Amino acid sequence: MISLKFPDGSARDFESGVTGRDVAASISKSLEKNAVAVVVDGAIRDLGEPIEDDGDIRIVKRTDPEALTLIRHDAAHVMAEAVQALYPDTQVTIGPVIENGFYYDFAREDSFTPEDLPVIEKKMAQIVASNHPFTVEVWSREKARKVFAEKGEHFKVELVDAIPEGEDVKIYHQGDWFDLCRGPHMDTTGRIGKGFKLLKIAGAYWRGDSNNPMLQRIYGTAWANEDDLKAYLHQLEEAEKRDHRRLGREMDLFHFQEEAPGAVFWHAKGWSLFQALIGYMRRRQQDWGYVEVNSPDMMERTLWEQSGHWEKFQENMYIAETPDDRVFCCKPMNCPGHVQIFKNGLKSYRDLPLRIAEFGKVHRYEPSGALHGLLRVRHFTQDDAHIFCTEDQITEECVKLNEQVLSIYRDFGFEDVRIKFSDRPEKRVGADEVWDKAEAALKRAVEAAGLSYELNPGEGAFYGPKLEYVLRDAIGRDWQCGTVQVDLNMPERLGAYYIGADGEKKVPVMIHRAMFGSLERFTGILVEHHAGHLPLWLSPVQAVVATIVSDANDYAQMVLERLKAAGLRAEADLRNEKINYKVREHSVAKVPVILVAGKREAEEGTVSVRRLGSQKQEVMSLEDAVAMIAAESVPPDAKPSGAAKAA
């Protein structure tokens, strides 16, 4: 007999070899009907898999969050079966679950086309409706190689060979079709339901290696029900409308080109927005007691060896050798440079905490296929800062940082912010006892701030644990932006110290902090969050004066001068075009306010005010219009009744 403990704390004895399905049936017929998998000691399993030992158990119903991964996994298998049924010459390779869906890579001589997707979807629906059971067999390695080789599935043979010795070779069947798979799966194909759709076709190298054959990848999405699917497809449509790359062109903010992959060519308007972000952060940091510095973009290899970057981060670094045989690296991070600034001149405990900030340009190699507009670049600017403090000061400093970063996100319209705690990664520097101390200190700080967090295991920086701030945007997407990291390793590796109250040398704690994170990425997120309709204080062009007739040109120039005198970023449009054309063009460019000036306005000293997204216009005196726009353009941190500044 074995003892199984349930989530409510109760335990029951069962015969060894009992299945999750049997356990569910022993509780109730309705649970057996709704069960799709079982979790034993934290690991999800097939309902039909025997349970041999004592442990904790939980039955997974189709409505539970874990079931969504199973739905997508099963949908990938059904898609592969559908493809091979329709196109028998196709080899299937791998088909994992990904965020919001799944994909499968196929080897086929002919190319798939977008027109094939609804055909494959229809076949998938038939397979789902057939409600075939998923069953699993364990084959010998020799049998698996032989069967797949005879079927012409050469990629599967290679996958069989890659399975470590001693690990089972599992084959999952669904009707007459089968595939190599670790599992688990739900009990039948019918459990997938109707909430799936195929999205697009892309190319992908076998095993991600450009030296290997090019395969065809079909992406799909799957959800628990059709309503969830519709909501996700609506989100995709909204995301396409908000795509910062398209809006960047329409708003004349930036561009990219092949000669500088992953690097931004900022246009005047985009640079104005970028500088507005820096100006905002600079003001906040000054209020919080930071000093701003600047460190070299390129430093010798020896420094990166001492910091640990050469060993742990080298594949992401740009490296250059000079004629005098010295090896230099473009900085991928600002922290080693800030340690050098801290080390310059003797520091005592009275100087701590010392808060150093830099808008530093960093350079990190990203694969070409990973680059994505402003959201994934190779050269970017961080609002980076490092706090050098004593161990006793960690909690207080991190509590302040939590307050500060959340106040910043509120100023930019992000109210829904989640925190992830990322602990030690497999690839790291420093002793475990140092990591224990750093992780404990960071957890105490979050708890002292009264904030909840979710664990993100193994995702810390190589030098210390971190908090990640995840913003949810206007259409429900999550973006990881700011980070706070406690580092007890790098200062010691680079020889930093201060003189303690006892007169002895002590190694400072180094808290790494970025709030926007990458300014390039944050700009892209902002543009998409606001669909290009940025808050007035951030807009590159806050107002345009557009004339109806040329007789009003002189008056329009005077209006423009008044706007600029009030500190506003404004332009005049005096072109010989119809006013509707001008309004439409500036609306596409997301100019928030258009002041229309005609002959009557010039005579009366008024302007007609049009707001972006509204068909209405309001006639106002020039003085009132300028005052109104100037008041609305004040940054939130500069308003007397604005966002409270965290101390």
Side-chain angles (χ1 to χ4, degrees):
M1 301 290 286
I2 61 171
S3 177
L4 297 177
K5 184 178 179 182
F6 293 89
D8 64 359
S10 64
R12 291 175 59 182
D13 293 335
F14 295 89
E15 293 285 342
S16 179
V18 68
T19 67
R21 184 178 291 107
D22 296 333
V23 174
S26 75
I27 297 172
S28 72
K29 286 292 182 184
S30 63
L31 182 59
E32 180 188 16
K33 180 180 178 181
N34 292 313
V36 294
V38 61
V39 175
V40 180
D41 290 336
I44 193 163
R45 299 186 184 183
D46 294 326
L47 274 177
E49 183 177 341
I51 304 170
E52 309 287 354
D53 302 304
D54 296 348
D56 295 332
I57 188 170
R58 179 165 56 86
I59 305 299
V60 177
K61 302 188 292 293
R62 194 180 180 281
T63 51
D64 291 339
E66 297 98 328
L68 192 53
T69 296
L70 298 175
I71 291 168
R72 290 166 177 167
H73 187 187
D74 292 3
H77 277 238
V78 166
M79 179 176 73
E81 179 184 353
V83 166
Q84 287 200 313
L86 293 166
Y87 314 101
D89 60 334
T90 304
Q91 293 185 63
V92 298
T93 63
I94 58 170
V97 172
I98 56 175
E99 185 180 11
N100 298 322
F102 59 91
Y103 70 78
Y104 227 111
D105 288 345
F106 300 98
R108 181 177 178 234
E109 187 172 336
D110 296 329
S111 296
F112 290 111
T113 67
E115 290 71 29
D116 293 326
L117 297 186
V119 178
I120 299 170
E121 270 184 34
K122 184 177 179 181
K123 186 65 177 176
M124 288 176 67
Q126 293 172 2
I127 297 169
V128 169
S130 69
N131 203 31
H132 290 309
F134 282 101
T135 58
V136 62
E137 294 179 341
V138 177
W139 287 2
S140 69
R141 192 177 302 267
E142 292 71 25
K143 178 180 177 180
R145 291 188 88 262
K146 182 174 183 294
V147 170
F148 284 117
E150 288 175 350
K151 289 185 66 181
E153 295 276 10
H154 306 297
F155 293 96
K156 290 294 181 185
V157 173
E158 189 175 330
L159 289 173
V160 170
D161 290 339
I163 296 174
E165 289 292 337
E167 187 175 314
D168 288 341
V169 178
K170 289 185 176 181
I171 304 295
Y172 275 84
H173 294 261
Q174 57 203 58
D176 296 330
W177 192 85
F178 60 87
D179 196 9
L180 176 71
C181 182
R182 290 191 181 94
H185 284 274
M186 296 185 292
D187 51 348
T188 71
T189 59
R191 293 286 198 175
I192 295 171
K194 298 180 179 180
F196 64 87
K197 184 171 183 60
L198 302 186
L199 300 176
K200 63 179 180 179
I201 302 162
Y205 290 109
W206 170 235
R207 293 188 160 181
D209 187 339
S210 60
N211 296 314
N212 288 337
M214 173 67 79
L215 306 174
Q216 297 182 67
R217 176 173 296 176
I218 298 180
Y219 285 96
T221 188
W223 297 84
N225 53 62
E226 290 180 275
D227 286 343
D228 288 351
L229 172 64
K230 288 177 183 175
Y232 177 67
L233 295 177
H234 176 70
Q235 185 187 80
L236 290 183
E237 291 173 6
E238 281 297 309
E240 188 174 351
K241 294 175 187 175
R242 295 166 179 262
D243 190 317
H244 73 281
R245 294 167 297 182
R246 178 178 63 81
L247 290 170
R249 289 191 299 272
E250 293 174 353
M251 297 170 69
D252 192 22
L253 302 180
F254 59 84
H255 81 273
F256 294 88
Q257 60 189 63
E258 282 302 311
E259 292 82 355
V264 188
F265 289 81
W266 287 105
H267 301 185
K269 293 175 182 176
W271 194 241
S272 172
L273 170 58
F274 195 86
Q275 290 301 315
L277 291 174
I278 288 179
Y280 168 90
M281 185 60 72
R282 180 173 281 133
R283 293 190 300 271
R284 301 301 305 267
Q285 289 178 163
Q286 287 173 348
D287 287 343
W288 295 328
Y290 287 83
V291 292
E292 190 172 327
V293 300
N294 189 264
S295 59
D297 286 340
M298 186 173 284
M299 292 177 276
E300 197 174 41
R301 166 182 172 171
T302 51
L303 180 65
W304 303 107
E305 289 175 332
Q306 293 167 20
S307 69
H309 288 82
W310 187 262
E311 178 188 358
K312 305 297 183 183
F313 205 73
Q314 184 184 155
E315 66 272 17
N316 299 107
M317 296 168 68
Y318 286 93
I319 300 167
E321 186 171 346
T322 58
D324 59 356
D325 297 326
R326 297 177 72 184
V327 177
F328 289 83
C329 303
C330 293
K331 64 176 177 181
M333 300 180 190
N334 297 298
C335 28
H338 288 190
V339 175
Q340 306 315 305
I341 293 172
F342 176 86
K343 287 168 59 179
N344 195 268
L346 189 64
K347 305 292 188 301
S348 85
Y349 69 95
R350 294 187 182 89
D351 298 312
L352 306 184
L354 177 61
R355 305 179 184 98
I356 294 175
E358 177 178 3
F359 297 101
K361 187 73 167 284
V362 296
H363 311 265
R364 300 179 190 174
Y365 177 76
E366 296 277 359
S368 297
L371 301 178
H372 182 76
L374 297 177
L375 303 179
R376 196 74 175 265
V377 291
R378 290 176 175 171
H379 315 284
F380 56 94
T381 306
Q382 292 181 309
D383 62 323
D384 214 356
H386 296 90
I387 301 170
F388 295 89
C389 63
T390 68
E391 289 188 20
D392 292 341
Q393 294 168 331
I394 294 174
T395 299
E396 182 181 359
E397 288 301 309
C398 288
V399 169
K400 287 180 181 178
L401 286 172
N402 274 308
E403 295 170 352
Q404 292 162 2
V405 72
L406 293 175
S407 76
I408 280 173
Y409 295 149
R410 285 193 296 270
D411 280 352
F412 287 89
F414 296 102
E415 298 288 343
D416 189 350
V417 182
R418 291 179 295 114
I419 300 174
K420 293 183 179 181
F421 183 95
S422 300
D423 59 12
R424 68 195 73 185
E426 184 176 338
K427 197 174 180 180
R428 61 182 183 269
V429 297
D432 283 345
E433 54 267 26
V434 175
W435 278 85
D436 291 341
K437 188 184 293 186
E439 288 172 354
L442 193 54
K443 283 182 181 176
R444 281 196 303 272
V446 183
E447 290 161 1
L451 300 171
S452 60
Y453 63 88
E454 60 181 88
L455 186 63
N456 197 18
E459 293 299 318
F462 72 82
Y463 45 77
K466 66 180 176 179
L467 300 180
E468 298 177 340
Y469 294 84
V470 181
L471 316 183
R472 180 154 292 177
D473 72 8
I475 59 173
R477 298 172 301 176
D478 290 338
W479 304 95
Q480 189 272 309
C481 290
T483 58
V484 173
Q485 304 160 10
V486 172
D487 183 358
L488 302 178
N489 286 302
M490 196 177 300
E492 183 173 25
R493 291 176 67 96
L494 293 175
Y497 68 88
Y498 67 94
I499 305 301
D502 58 1
E504 298 295 320
K505 291 182 179 179
K506 299 183 184 299
V507 178
V509 175
M510 187 180 188
I511 301 175
H512 305 244
R513 180 237 76 182
M515 296 189 175
F516 292 149
S518 156
L519 270 83
E520 285 79 358
R521 187 167 182 270
F522 193 75
T523 301
I525 293 168
L526 268 181
V527 169
E528 295 201 1
H529 176 62
H530 292 285
H533 190 172
L534 297 168
L536 189 63
W537 71 274
L538 271 180
S539 294
V541 177
Q542 295 167 318
V544 164
V545 187
T547 54
I548 299 174
V549 292
S550 58
D551 289 351
N553 285 359
D554 290 343
Y555 179 66
Q557 287 286 9
M558 187 266 286
V559 173
L560 178 63
E561 290 169 9
R562 290 281 188 88
L563 291 168
K564 288 185 173 181
L568 295 164
R569 297 184 290 274
E571 296 178 352
D573 186 347
L574 310 181
R575 294 175 298 166
N576 186 23
E577 299 284 358
K578 292 183 178 179
I579 188 61
N580 287 342
Y581 176 86
K582 293 180 181 182
V583 169
R584 185 166 57 251
E585 190 173 79
H586 294 302
S587 296
V588 168
K590 301 298 185 288
V591 176
V593 181
I594 301 173
L595 304 180
V596 177
K599 190 173 181 180
R600 176 182 296 177
E601 286 80 8
E603 291 172 350
E604 298 176 352
T606 61
V607 286
S608 293
V609 181
R610 290 179 179 237
R611 298 279 187 165
L612 180 62
S614 174
Q615 297 298 318
K616 298 178 181 178
Q617 62 182 27
E618 181 181 4
V619 177
M620 303 177 66
S621 71
L622 175 57
E623 183 179 340
D624 288 346
V626 172
M628 176 187 68
I629 300 168
E632 291 180 21
S633 68
V634 176
D637 62 295
K639 292 180 179 178
S641 59
K645 298 175 184 177

